[in-house]
Amino acid sequence: MKHVPIFDDLKRIGDDRVTAIGMGTWGIGGYESPDYSRDKESVEVLMHGLELGINLIDTAEFYGAGHSEELVGEAIKDFEREEIFIISKVWPTHFGYESAKKAARASTKRLGTYIDLYLLHWPVEDFRRIEETLHALEELVDEGLIRYIGVSNFDLELLKRSQEAMKKYEIVANEVKYSLKDRWPETSGLLDYMKKEKMALIAYTPLEKGTLARNECLAEIGKAYGKTAAQVALNYLIWEENVVAIPKAGSKAHLEENFGAMGWRLSKEDREKARRCV
């Protein structure tokens, strides 16, 4: 079996250490339905990321109607499983005690392995359904299908309420949209609260679909570090002690660029300048 190289820019999720930059898989294997046209390339890209030393992969049952999970399972099969951290998510239509358990089992079957972190993908208005789902996930931890429980797209109030609903385990992460352009976790108090709670904030769409990678102001800041605009934008996020970013692993070239956002940090002054670039 292949080993994932140990890279020293690590963050904590639960008791595990993960790379500060992970691999997002939204659109890999399709969007709302499966797309098999780029399967070989997608698997090769994910494997390349693991070979570089990125040990975190984010997927969901909703991505490609489960096909994204199948591709992740294919990509990891020749690597030491314990060296990889896999995130997946249950879609709101599968919230509820029995439905969530069934969805998790289906996801583990597609992945061919257990799930390290299982998230409630989006909040719903009826909190009782959220509560039932969280309690189902606690049982899934006991069963060994998942290792940690988290949420996604939860604001501060709902996150606190969800924490209070837990009976046995803690919520260890919240995955939200966060970028230099969209800094609502900072302005809402969510980021500070999660720091205090030692909870990982997983930032999706960190490059705003490539727009930040083309920002000339960020590129100018990056020159002093020998880095690109995209690497500056990602480094801005992982500068925070509890933030992990998951840009899409779209190609080997982009993956290598994302990897180069780790292992260094912007100065406080340049980080402040980066805020003013958008």
Side-chain angles (χ1 to χ4, degrees):
M1 299 293 281
K2 297 180 184 177
H3 288 280
V4 179
I6 297 172
F7 190 69
D8 62 0
D9 198 344
L10 301 172
K11 302 296 182 85
R12 188 175 293 281
I13 297 181
D15 292 326
D16 286 42
R17 304 288 280 178
V18 302
T19 43
I21 302 288
M23 294 185 281
T25 62
W26 165 240
I28 291 176
Y31 291 91
E32 293 184 20
S33 59
D35 177 0
Y36 304 99
S37 63
R38 296 182 61 201
D39 282 8
K40 185 174 184 292
E41 180 185 352
S42 296
V43 169
E44 287 176 354
V45 169
L46 292 172
M47 290 177 66
H48 185 59
L50 293 170
E51 288 162 356
L52 287 173
I54 299 174
N55 70 352
L56 171 65
I57 305 176
D58 177 90
T59 187
E61 66 168 353
F62 183 72
Y63 300 169
H67 189 45
S68 171
E69 291 177 321
E70 292 173 340
L71 293 178
V72 170
E74 179 67 20
I76 69 169
K77 69 179 184 181
D78 292 331
F79 290 84
E80 291 290 345
R81 173 63 182 92
E82 292 74 18
E83 297 173 0
I84 302 168
F85 194 95
I86 297 173
I87 302 171
S88 194
K89 313 174 193 75
V90 56
W91 192 246
T93 52
H94 292 149
F95 282 10
Y97 188 76
E98 292 299 335
S99 294
K101 284 189 166 187
K102 185 178 179 181
R105 292 189 181 101
S107 285
T108 57
K109 185 175 181 180
R110 287 188 290 269
L111 288 162
T113 185
Y114 59 88
I115 297 165
D116 292 288
L117 173 61
Y118 200 44
L119 310 177
L120 278 65
H121 203 148
W122 281 93
V124 294
E125 288 188 9
D126 184 356
F127 186 75
R128 289 174 299 177
R129 291 184 63 214
I130 291 175
E131 193 171 29
E132 275 185 22
T133 306
L134 289 171
H135 294 163
L137 267 54
E138 289 188 298
E139 291 200 5
L140 290 172
V141 173
D142 288 336
E143 292 174 23
L145 263 71
I146 68 176
R147 297 180 58 235
Y148 298 110
I149 298 166
V151 296
S152 183
N153 299 297
F154 279 37
D155 63 18
L156 180 55
E157 181 182 351
L158 189 55
L159 177 60
K160 288 180 178 179
R161 196 173 175 194
S162 300
Q163 284 180 295
E164 292 168 359
M166 301 299 284
K167 291 180 177 179
K168 191 172 183 181
Y169 298 104
E170 295 181 349
I171 292 173
V172 303
N174 185 13
E175 185 172 311
V176 297
K177 187 175 184 294
Y178 181 29
S179 72
L180 254 174
K181 188 176 179 181
D182 187 358
R183 300 199 301 272
W184 77 270
E186 298 174 17
T187 57
S188 66
L190 178 68
L191 177 59
D192 285 342
Y193 176 79
M194 291 179 64
K195 276 186 200 172
K196 184 177 61 117
E197 293 290 299
K198 302 189 185 311
M199 191 182 301
L201 189 153
I202 302 164
Y204 71 81
T205 320
L207 295 175
E208 293 290 341
K209 299 181 179 178
T211 60
L212 293 178
R214 299 185 293 273
N215 185 294
E216 292 182 7
C217 178
L218 295 176
E220 191 62 32
I221 292 171
K223 285 180 181 178
Y225 300 86
K227 299 296 180 180
T228 65
Q231 290 168 332
V232 170
L234 292 171
N235 196 267
Y236 173 89
L237 299 176
I238 66 171
W239 196 93
E240 299 285 358
E241 62 188 57
N242 65 323
V243 174
V244 175
I246 49 166
K248 182 180 176 180
S251 69
K252 289 183 180 180
H254 283 154
L255 201 57
E256 289 170 4
E257 186 176 17
N258 296 341
F259 185 77
M262 295 188 286
W264 60 284
R265 290 296 184 269
L266 290 162
S267 68
K268 288 184 179 179
E269 294 76 17
D270 284 337
R271 195 164 183 266
E272 185 57 41
K273 284 180 187 176
R275 287 194 181 103
R276 297 196 292 270
C277 286
V278 295

